[in-house]
Amino acid sequence: MATDASARDLLPRAATGFTERVHQVPDTAWDDPTPCADWSVRDLVVHLVSEHLWAVPLLDGETTDSVGDRFGGDVLGDDPVAAWDSAIRASLARWSATDDDAVVHLSAGPTPAGEYAQQMLLDLTVHAWDLARGAGLEERLDPACVRRVLDDVRPQADRWRAAGIFGDAVQVDSDDPQDQLLGLLGRRP
């Protein structure tokens, strides 16, 4: 079943799911591994914080070259939860003021904001599961976000896999959209 909500409209829901998990990471779990090869729980949160820090200037019209490396390295500091909360709050505020047709200058070139929102929704949704798996938290994802990401990924999965974005698909014997999405993206539900 497809969802009619746009990726941009679903970003707050996906952000809520990721935020809830960040707030629940036990102090002892930040160095634990995740399903993402070579990434700890902390590394995964660094990735998402950095992405959402990048989103604000990119949505404001800057290019990846002009942003440069200002969001490189460990953007979490001593308080990963506060770093996440600040980054996602600023990102969501900017997304709410952006039309899907706006042009964003990504490393791949000029991209409609709606397409960029799909990429961000995919990362928020799937990495919420990765975070949950790594930190031992609730793994059930928002069904509308899952359906939207699954609909967006299915036609592109082979191309993205060939580019090294995802690992090999994992066969799942389930009709559950979340299990299908995770398997398609190389994860074992």
Side-chain angles (χ1 to χ4, degrees):
M1 169 189 263
T3 181
D4 292 334
S6 75
R8 188 176 52 80
D9 290 340
L10 289 171
L11 285 174
R13 288 175 69 161
T16 295
F18 194 85
T19 299
E20 289 170 354
R21 288 167 178 88
V22 169
H23 281 257
Q24 295 170 5
V25 172
D27 290 340
T28 57
W30 286 98
D31 292 324
D32 289 353
T34 68
C36 300
D38 301 323
W39 277 2
S40 67
V41 167
R42 183 179 179 86
D43 296 331
L44 179 71
V45 176
V46 165
H47 170 67
L48 269 290
V49 168
S50 181
E51 274 194 345
H52 286 278
L53 290 172
W54 270 86
V56 174
L58 292 177
L59 291 170
D60 282 342
E62 289 190 48
T63 65
T64 54
D65 286 342
S66 69
V67 175
D69 63 356
R70 75 176 96 150
F71 303 121
D74 182 357
V75 293
L76 299 185
D78 293 335
D79 192 345
V81 174
W84 168 253
D85 287 346
S86 177
I88 195 62
R89 187 173 32 257
S91 176
L92 289 177
R94 191 60 190 91
W95 276 107
S96 71
T98 301
D99 294 328
D100 282 345
D101 295 334
V103 175
V104 183
H105 299 280
L106 305 179
S107 57
T111 305
E115 186 176 321
Y116 181 36
Q118 290 172 3
Q119 296 170 22
M120 298 294 275
L121 181 64
L122 182 150
D123 262 16
L124 278 169
T125 302
V126 173
H127 286 320
W129 182 86
D130 294 330
L131 177 60
R133 178 64 57 102
L137 305 171
E138 171 58 46
E139 294 180 6
R140 199 77 214 152
L141 301 171
D142 182 287
C145 294
V146 167
R147 283 191 306 274
R148 178 60 195 225
V149 171
L150 184 59
D151 289 346
D152 289 341
V153 168
R154 270 190 178 133
Q156 304 177 76
D158 289 337
R159 182 170 42 95
W160 287 356
R161 192 171 294 105
I165 297 172
F166 304 124
D168 292 337
V170 172
Q171 183 65 36
V172 295
D173 295 324
S174 171
D175 292 335
D176 179 11
Q178 178 171 315
D179 291 347
Q180 291 174 8
L181 175 64
L182 294 171
L184 184 64
L185 300 181
R187 287 151 171 88
R188 296 189 184 282

